[in-house]
Amino acid sequence: MIGEVKKLLIIPHINVHNANALSSPYTIGFPAMTAWLGAVHALQRQLNAHDIPVVFSAAGVVSHDMDLQTYKGENDFVRSIVGTGNPLDKTGARSAFIEEARCHLDVSLVIQFDNITIDERDNLLDAVSHLLHAKMKMAGGDIRDFQPPFCINSEEGVTEDLIKLQRALMPGYALIERRDLMIDAMENGADALDALIDYLAIHHQCDKDEDGKVTWSSSRKTLNNKPAGWIVPIATGFHGISEQGKAKNQRDPDTPHRFAESIVTLGEFKMPHRIKSIEDILWRYHQEGDLYLCQQAAQVAKAKKRDPEPHSIESEF
C-alpha cells in the first residue's frame, strides 16, 4: 500500500548452530518458513510475558551464509548426512540417535511490529537482545551471536527508505515465495510433484564434435528463455489430515491436537537490491480450512488477479 509506514525491527547476522535442515519429510536444506515465523512468534510471546505489548505481524528472512552438514567422499554419487550422537550416556558410550540433517546459518530477520511507541523502542531492543542471549532457539538451533538489533521506519513507495533497508541486508539472499511457478506448470498439465522437480532437476548432456571430442554441459529449466533464478523447494505450512481432538501426552493440554502433513512449494533466493518493495520479502500467517500457511502478499495478489472468483487454494501447492 503506497504511503504506508512500516515499523521494522532488524536483527542482523544471527549465527545459528545446528539448525534443523530437514525442512520437510522429503527435502533438506534451508529451514522451513514455518520455523522462522515460529521463532518470531515465540519471541513476541516472551516479550509480552515481560510486559512489552509488541505485536509482530510479519517477518522476512535473509540468508548470508549456510553450511549444510553433509559429506561427499571421492567417487561417491550421493551426499551423506553428518550425524552426531551427543550427549554421551552415563557410561560414556554413544547413545542411539535418529539421523537428522543439520546446518549452520548466518541470517538476518526483518520483523514488522506494532503497538510500540518511539519512546519504548530502546526497552524493546534491550529485551530482544536479552532473550536472544538467554534462552531463545531458532529453527531448532542454538543462537551463538548476533549483531545489535535496531528499528527503522520504512514508507512504501519512498526509494530512500527502501535503499536504506537494502544496504542493511546486503550481501545476502532474501527468501521469496514462487508459488506462481507451480500454478503455471500445473495449469499446463503437470502434477504437483512433477512441477516441483521440473524446476529443481539439473540436466547433464554431452556433445561430440567432428574430432570426437566430448563436451559435457549442465542446465536447469529456464523461464522465458532466461534463467529462472535460484529456485529451491521450501516448506511453507501444514495441511491438517485428521479432525481436531485430544492426543495422549500432547505438548499443550489446552490446545486441540490434529495430525498434519507438510506443504512444499517453490521459493527463490533473491538479493535484497532486486526487490521493489519491503512487502516483497515479508511473510505472514494465513489459515483457510485445513491449510495453515506462511505466505506473501505478492503471491496472494497474483492468485487473485489470475482467478478473481473465491476458490480453494489447496490445489495451488
Side-chain angles (χ1 to χ4, degrees):
M1 181 182 297
I2 297 176
E4 179 186 4
V5 178
K6 287 183 168 61
K7 291 175 281 189
L8 302 174
L9 168 64
I10 315 295
I11 310 177
H13 290 280
I14 309 170
N15 286 311
V16 184
H17 186 72
N18 282 341
N20 180 14
L22 190 64
S23 53
S24 78
Y26 44 88
T27 60
I28 68 169
F30 197 74
M33 201 57 223
T34 50
W36 300 111
L37 284 192
V40 170
H41 183 61
L43 179 60
Q44 176 193 309
R45 293 185 62 174
Q46 295 194 40
L47 289 168
N48 295 161
H50 286 75
D51 297 326
I52 299 176
V54 66
V55 176
F56 294 148
S57 55
V61 58
V62 177
S63 174
H64 303 287
D65 189 26
M66 175 177 170
D67 182 9
L68 185 63
Q69 297 298 290
T70 59
Y71 171 78
K72 184 178 182 181
E74 188 175 356
N75 297 324
D76 286 352
F77 184 71
V78 297
R79 291 182 176 272
S80 302
I81 294 174
V82 178
T84 65
N86 300 319
L88 303 179
D89 63 20
K90 60 183 179 181
T91 66
R94 177 169 296 177
S95 57
F97 66 97
I98 299 174
E99 194 174 61
E100 58 185 11
R102 303 170 296 115
C103 62
H104 307 323
L105 295 165
D106 178 4
V107 299
S108 293
L109 290 181
V110 181
I111 305 171
Q112 183 180 354
F113 68 92
D114 290 299
N115 214 28
I116 290 291
T117 66
I118 292 179
D119 294 336
E120 295 172 328
R121 288 188 179 186
D122 287 342
N123 189 30
L124 170 67
L125 295 176
D126 290 343
V128 168
S129 296
H130 172 73
L131 290 171
L132 294 183
H133 278 303
K135 55 183 179 180
M136 281 286 298
K137 294 176 79 76
M138 284 195 178
D142 300 312
I143 298 174
R144 304 185 72 173
D145 59 67
F146 56 92
Q147 293 184 5
F150 58 93
C151 297
I152 60 173
N153 290 342
S154 181
E155 184 176 356
E156 287 288 345
V158 176
T159 305
E160 290 77 11
D161 288 354
L162 181 61
I163 292 176
K164 184 178 179 181
L165 179 67
Q166 290 170 331
R167 286 176 175 170
L169 301 177
M170 289 289 289
Y173 294 89
L175 186 57
I176 309 296
E177 186 181 12
R178 293 305 306 270
R179 186 196 314 178
D180 55 308
L181 298 179
M182 295 282 291
I183 298 174
D184 288 339
M186 294 173 70
E187 288 182 346
N188 290 323
D191 67 20
L193 191 57
D194 287 340
L196 187 77
I197 294 176
D198 200 23
Y199 275 98
L200 304 176
I202 300 175
H203 301 278
H204 305 280
Q205 63 180 26
C206 66
D207 296 311
K208 192 174 184 179
D209 61 18
E210 295 177 352
D211 298 329
K213 183 180 179 181
V214 176
T215 303
W216 282 90
S217 61
S218 303
S219 63
R220 297 180 66 173
K221 182 176 181 177
T222 59
L223 191 63
N224 299 325
N225 295 322
K226 296 180 181 178
W230 188 356
I231 304 298
V232 295
I234 55 169
T236 58
F238 300 96
H239 182 201
I241 56 175
S242 70
E243 297 298 326
Q244 297 184 19
K246 287 280 187 180
K248 184 179 180 181
N249 297 327
Q250 66 185 55
R251 179 179 295 180
D252 183 353
D254 301 323
T255 303
H257 172 276
R258 74 185 308 187
F259 291 97
E261 59 184 11
S262 295
I263 292 177
V264 181
T265 187
L266 291 172
E268 179 182 358
F269 281 113
K270 184 180 288 188
M271 298 195 81
H273 77 274
R274 294 177 56 203
I275 65 172
K276 306 299 182 186
S277 165
I278 180 59
E279 194 65 36
D280 291 346
I281 67 172
L282 293 180
W283 295 74
R284 290 179 172 82
Y285 282 125
H286 175 73
Q287 191 271 328
E288 179 179 325
D290 293 329
L291 294 172
Y292 303 86
L293 299 175
C294 306
Q295 65 180 20
Q296 293 187 311
Q299 289 295 322
V300 176
K302 286 182 181 178
K304 288 183 177 178
K305 185 177 181 180
R306 184 190 301 268
D307 183 6
E309 295 296 327
H311 69 296
S312 170
I313 61 175
E314 185 173 349
S315 59
E316 296 176 358
F317 298 91

